[in-house]
Amino acid sequence: MKFAIALFAPPHAPSSRRALRFAEAVLAGGHEINRLFFYQDGVHNASGGIVTPQDETDLAAQWRAFVERHELDAVVCIAAALRRGVLDTQEAQRYGRAAVAVTPPWELSGLGQLHEAAQQADRLVCFGGV
Amino acid sequence: MKFAIALFAPPHAPSSRRALRFAEAVLAGGHEINRLFFYQDGVHNASGGIVTPQDETDLAAQWRAFVERHELDAVVCIAAALRRGVLDTQEAQRYGRAAVAVTPPWELSGLGQLHEAAQQADRLVCFGGV
Amino acid sequence: MAKSMLIVSRHSPWSGLGAREALDIALAGGAFELPIGLLFLDDGVFQLLPGQRPAAVEQKDLAANLQALPLFGVEDLYVCRQSLRLRGLDGQPLALPATALEGPELADLFDRYDLVITL
Amino acid sequence: MAKSMLIVSRHSPWSGLGAREALDIALAGGAFELPIGLLFLDDGVFQLLPGQRPAAVEQKDLAANLQALPLFGVEDLYVCRQSLRLRGLDGQPLALPATALEGPELADLFDRYDLVITL
Amino acid sequence: MTTLHLLSQSPFTSPLDSILRPLGVRDGLLLCGDACHALQPGSAPLELLEHLPASIAIHALEEDLQARNLTAPERVQVVDYPDFVELCTRYDKVNGWL
Amino acid sequence: MTTLHLLSQSPFTSPLDSILRPLGVRDGLLLCGDACHALQPGSAPLELLEHLPASIAIHALEEDLQARNLTAPERVQVVDYPDFVELCTRYDKVNGWL
């Protein structure tokens, strides 16, 4: 089956880790992930600025490694990201900000990408809250 | 009276605006603010990366302007900030990150600064949640 | 054929971005001409109250966006009657024509849609 | 004389940073030799349950930090009995020697401290 | 030592019970944000508030009432930010229920 | 169209009522995170769950039970992540209650 996975909570929420372990199990089970979509505080998972204490699980780093390893389509909602200071090079330039937090393979885009992924997938699974 | 004010919620939470309007009223009433302390998701208020839609109140910018205008002591909890990707130049260098979100007058420091402020103030007022 | 999506909005209008970010999903879906339903549940029902003045807390008017729903083709609006009742709002006029549902009608609503997102 | 601070911890141990960040305020206060009290309220009482295995959800052991409280001079630990009762935990052994309070005893506790922080 | 308790969560999402439990008879309440919905006529939270001892002063932040089109009952004093600051000085300490 | 409902909030902080209201008789529940505390023996949430129609399957994520030192009653099936994925394929859609 084809899964679209959405995450609405930041990397320090247990639901971020749960979404990642779920996504890993989806691929391990022979299924496909057509898109990861990060919305609301979930946009922080794409931030390259997060520094996790060495003896704790670094979810932001694990998400990046997961996306890179499997060459997944990983979209961060641009409107949600701007409000939360999670900018890529282009947006940082556009708004004259120094802080570039998002680099490829993450991509900033609109909510249409969430709908498109949900339409094309067999299942949409959303993670958030705690 | 001397007020220590702590904020635990991000700029898009109503409690951020409430804390700022309260802080303004403290000064307008002839009182003093001995320190502002930003903890938990409140550290995002110090982020220079936040881009607010033009027709909405830009709390991050308003906090910065308020701190600068009144030359306040504004401390961001360093441990909470690192976990959330809100780094100053020094921490970004230390951990090899590109994203510098915090610049003076904001200062990253430890929780001791919260206790010190609370000890020296006549009132500690904490804002958070929604 | 496009899949239908039910969006469940549980946040009050002035408690942060929850209500607005749920609405944005509905509007984006409408813009793509997808069949979208919107259910106001729990504190989400406060979004439907008339006479609100968001300017008092320096917020943009969410009501304007809600009124835009039909223009985006989002006309299937529902509200949980039990949520209204618990808040002392049952029978009060609402700012939008939302169908009040309760009990098994809610389960039927969920049943009808292909997709559901709760925010 | 240093002011005393009551820290009210309302978050369960594995639901995010709430419990840890409340505890960090207590430990920092202890390190500065301030008189600190810690009250476990609502879901915060789950922090006191023995036999937890945080490694199962890849979390650091919060219990270790809780056990460190006396070393930091934080010995005034309290738990809300009504919170325990609602969760079916009243009378169960706790991992830390916290004094169970209810009703007016809670008001007295708040009354005794110079400062209070709820997280 | 009296406490001014700040409430901002919706009473329908975060029940008031555990917040009212530690309330002392000389303490005060300040409702702001969604906590103002506790003043909704005919709701259970309003019932709870109305049964608090008369010695406990209840306040509500004006802007939050206006935003929500709510009217405060007689028992509740409507305050603005200068009043909020003044209230903080009148009580010995302030507790923000997040 | 059956729905698998994911619950992760503590039932003591976010009451189960409004979540259980839209539950269809062929739907399923998956408790994860703090929602697993609903299985605490002697608690009101467990009572609620036990009164759901038998046709509604209840599952709980193993790692969250272990972390919290909880045991699932017979009525509840303990699952791991591969099972979680399989459950998602078995129901027509998945709803995450945030």
Side-chain angles (χ1 to χ4, degrees):
Chain A
M1 272 194 175
K2 211 183 281 186
F3 282 78
I5 299 176
L7 176 54
F8 304 148
H12 55 75
S15 52
S16 168
R17 182 185 153 278
R18 197 177 299 132
L20 177 55
R21 297 289 168 262
F22 176 82
E24 289 168 348
V26 163
L27 297 186
H31 302 288
E32 191 188 326
I33 295 173
N34 71 333
R35 182 167 292 154
L36 298 168
F37 192 86
F38 294 76
Y39 192 45
Q40 298 199 311
D41 285 350
V43 302
H44 290 297
N45 289 284
S47 168
I50 287 170
V51 178
T52 309
Q54 283 197 344
D55 52 352
E56 295 180 25
T57 311
D58 186 343
L59 262 302
Q62 289 196 8
W63 272 113
R64 166 170 293 274
F66 178 71
V67 169
E68 286 176 348
R69 187 172 342 112
H70 301 285
E71 298 182 347
L72 297 174
D73 185 355
V75 176
V76 179
C77 173
I78 188 166
L82 286 172
R83 288 172 185 282
R84 290 165 176 87
V86 179
L87 314 181
D88 64 4
T89 310
Q90 193 178 334
E91 297 306 310
Q93 267 175 3
R94 186 197 315 272
Y95 295 103
R97 307 301 164 112
V100 175
V102 179
T103 53
W106 303 106
E107 195 193 324
L108 296 186
S109 190
L111 278 170
Q113 303 287 315
L114 171 61
H115 284 293
E116 188 188 75
Q119 288 293 324
Q120 292 170 358
D122 299 297
R123 291 293 180 277
L124 166 67
V125 186
C126 301
F127 292 86
V130 291
Chain B
M1 270 194 176
K2 211 183 281 186
F3 283 77
I5 299 175
L7 177 55
F8 304 148
H12 54 74
S15 51
S16 168
R17 180 184 155 279
R18 196 177 299 132
L20 177 56
R21 297 290 168 262
F22 176 82
E24 289 168 348
V26 163
L27 297 186
H31 301 288
E32 192 188 324
I33 295 173
N34 70 333
R35 182 166 292 153
L36 298 167
F37 192 87
F38 294 76
Y39 193 44
Q40 298 197 312
D41 285 350
V43 302
H44 289 298
N45 289 283
S47 167
I50 288 171
V51 178
T52 309
Q54 283 199 343
D55 52 352
E56 294 180 24
T57 311
D58 186 343
L59 262 301
Q62 289 196 8
W63 271 114
R64 167 170 293 274
F66 178 71
V67 169
E68 286 176 347
R69 186 172 342 114
H70 300 286
E71 297 181 349
L72 297 174
D73 185 354
V75 176
V76 179
C77 174
I78 188 166
L82 286 172
R83 287 173 187 282
R84 290 165 177 87
V86 179
L87 314 181
D88 63 5
T89 310
Q90 193 178 331
E91 298 306 310
Q93 268 175 3
R94 186 196 315 272
Y95 295 102
R97 308 300 166 111
V100 174
V102 180
T103 53
W106 303 106
E107 196 192 324
L108 297 187
S109 189
L111 277 170
Q113 303 286 314
L114 171 61
H115 284 293
E116 188 188 75
Q119 289 292 324
Q120 291 171 357
D122 298 297
R123 291 292 181 277
L124 167 67
V125 187
C126 300
F127 292 86
V130 291
Chain C
M1 209 181 74
K3 293 180 195 168
S4 60
M5 178 186 279
L6 178 66
I7 296 159
V8 184
S9 184
R10 299 177 80 196
H11 290 277
S12 69
W14 321 120
S15 65
L17 295 171
R20 179 168 300 274
E21 292 185 330
L23 190 56
D24 284 348
I25 296 182
L27 294 170
F32 285 93
E33 300 190 344
L34 299 172
I36 300 283
L38 189 50
L39 167 66
F40 297 91
L41 185 70
D42 296 332
D43 281 348
V45 303
F46 287 127
Q47 296 175 46
L48 297 174
L49 291 194
Q52 307 194 47
R53 290 171 49 198
V57 287
E58 300 175 63
Q59 293 284 306
K60 248 173 47 176
D61 198 352
L62 194 74
N65 296 41
L66 284 165
Q67 302 290 353
L69 284 168
L71 306 178
F72 283 74
V74 181
E75 290 174 330
D76 297 333
L77 307 180
Y78 306 94
V79 57
C80 169
R81 172 159 281 152
Q82 178 67 0
S83 301
L84 288 172
R85 196 178 292 132
L86 282 171
R87 288 160 184 79
L89 299 171
D90 197 19
Q92 290 209 15
L94 300 179
L96 283 178
T99 308
L101 304 176
E102 61 188 320
E105 295 171 329
L106 280 171
D108 289 347
L109 181 73
F110 271 69
D111 192 53
R112 279 209 303 281
Y113 282 85
D114 298 309
L115 299 163
V116 57
I117 290 190
T118 300
L119 283 175
Chain D
M1 210 181 74
K3 293 179 193 166
S4 59
M5 178 187 276
L6 178 67
I7 296 159
V8 183
S9 184
R10 299 178 78 195
H11 290 278
S12 67
W14 321 119
S15 65
L17 295 171
R20 180 168 300 274
E21 292 186 330
L23 190 56
D24 284 348
I25 296 182
L27 293 171
F32 285 95
E33 301 190 347
L34 299 171
I36 301 284
L38 189 50
L39 168 66
F40 299 91
L41 184 72
D42 296 332
D43 281 348
V45 303
F46 288 127
Q47 296 176 46
L48 297 174
L49 292 193
Q52 307 193 46
R53 289 171 50 198
V57 286
E58 299 175 64
Q59 293 283 307
K60 249 174 43 177
D61 197 353
L62 194 74
N65 297 41
L66 284 165
Q67 302 290 352
L69 284 167
L71 305 178
F72 282 74
V74 181
E75 292 173 329
D76 298 333
L77 307 180
Y78 306 94
V79 57
C80 170
R81 172 159 282 153
Q82 178 67 1
S83 300
L84 288 172
R85 195 178 292 132
L86 282 171
R87 288 160 185 79
L89 300 171
D90 198 19
Q92 291 211 12
L94 301 179
L96 283 178
T99 308
L101 303 176
E102 63 188 320
E105 295 170 331
L106 280 171
D108 288 347
L109 181 72
F110 272 69
D111 193 52
R112 278 209 304 280
Y113 282 85
D114 298 309
L115 299 163
V116 57
I117 289 189
T118 301
L119 281 174
Chain E
M1 302 250 316
T2 58
T3 306
L4 175 67
H5 295 269
L6 306 183
L7 270 64
S8 62
Q9 302 268 10
S10 162
F12 304 102
T13 308
S14 303
L16 287 174
D17 320 38
S18 58
I19 286 166
L20 300 182
R21 236 175 279 148
L23 220 63
V25 287
R26 296 177 305 146
D27 285 356
L29 277 184
L30 172 52
L31 308 176
C32 45
D34 273 356
C36 292
H37 283 302
L39 303 179
Q40 197 76 45
S43 70
L46 182 59
E47 181 104 342
L48 259 178
L49 291 182
E50 280 175 340
H51 281 84
L52 288 177
S55 58
I56 294 176
I58 308 178
H59 308 84
L61 201 56
E62 186 173 29
E63 60 174 29
D64 286 312
L65 295 177
Q66 289 176 346
R68 291 164 182 79
N69 194 21
L70 284 163
T71 315
E74 256 187 67
R75 169 85 165 85
V76 174
Q77 272 155 27
V78 180
V79 300
D80 59 12
Y81 280 103
D83 299 330
F84 184 175
V85 173
E86 198 271 324
L87 276 178
C88 292
T89 67
R90 207 190 302 165
Y91 291 86
D92 296 317
K93 59 180 177 287
V94 182
N95 179 35
W97 291 94
L98 304 192
Chain F
M1 301 250 318
T2 58
T3 307
L4 176 67
H5 295 269
L6 306 183
L7 271 63
S8 62
Q9 301 268 11
S10 162
F12 303 103
T13 308
S14 303
L16 287 175
D17 321 36
S18 57
I19 288 168
L20 300 183
R21 235 174 280 147
L23 218 62
V25 287
R26 297 176 305 145
D27 285 356
L29 277 184
L30 172 52
L31 308 176
C32 46
D34 273 357
C36 292
H37 283 301
L39 304 179
Q40 198 75 45
S43 70
L46 182 59
E47 181 103 345
L48 259 177
L49 290 182
E50 281 173 341
H51 280 85
L52 289 177
S55 58
I56 294 176
I58 308 179
H59 307 83
L61 200 55
E62 184 172 31
E63 60 174 28
D64 286 312
L65 295 176
Q66 290 176 345
R68 291 164 182 78
N69 194 21
L70 285 162
T71 314
E74 257 188 68
R75 169 85 166 87
V76 174
Q77 272 155 26
V78 179
V79 299
D80 59 12
Y81 281 102
D83 299 330
F84 184 175
V85 173
E86 198 273 325
L87 275 179
C88 292
T89 67
R90 207 190 303 166
Y91 291 87
D92 297 317
K93 57 181 179 286
V94 182
N95 179 34
W97 291 94
L98 306 191

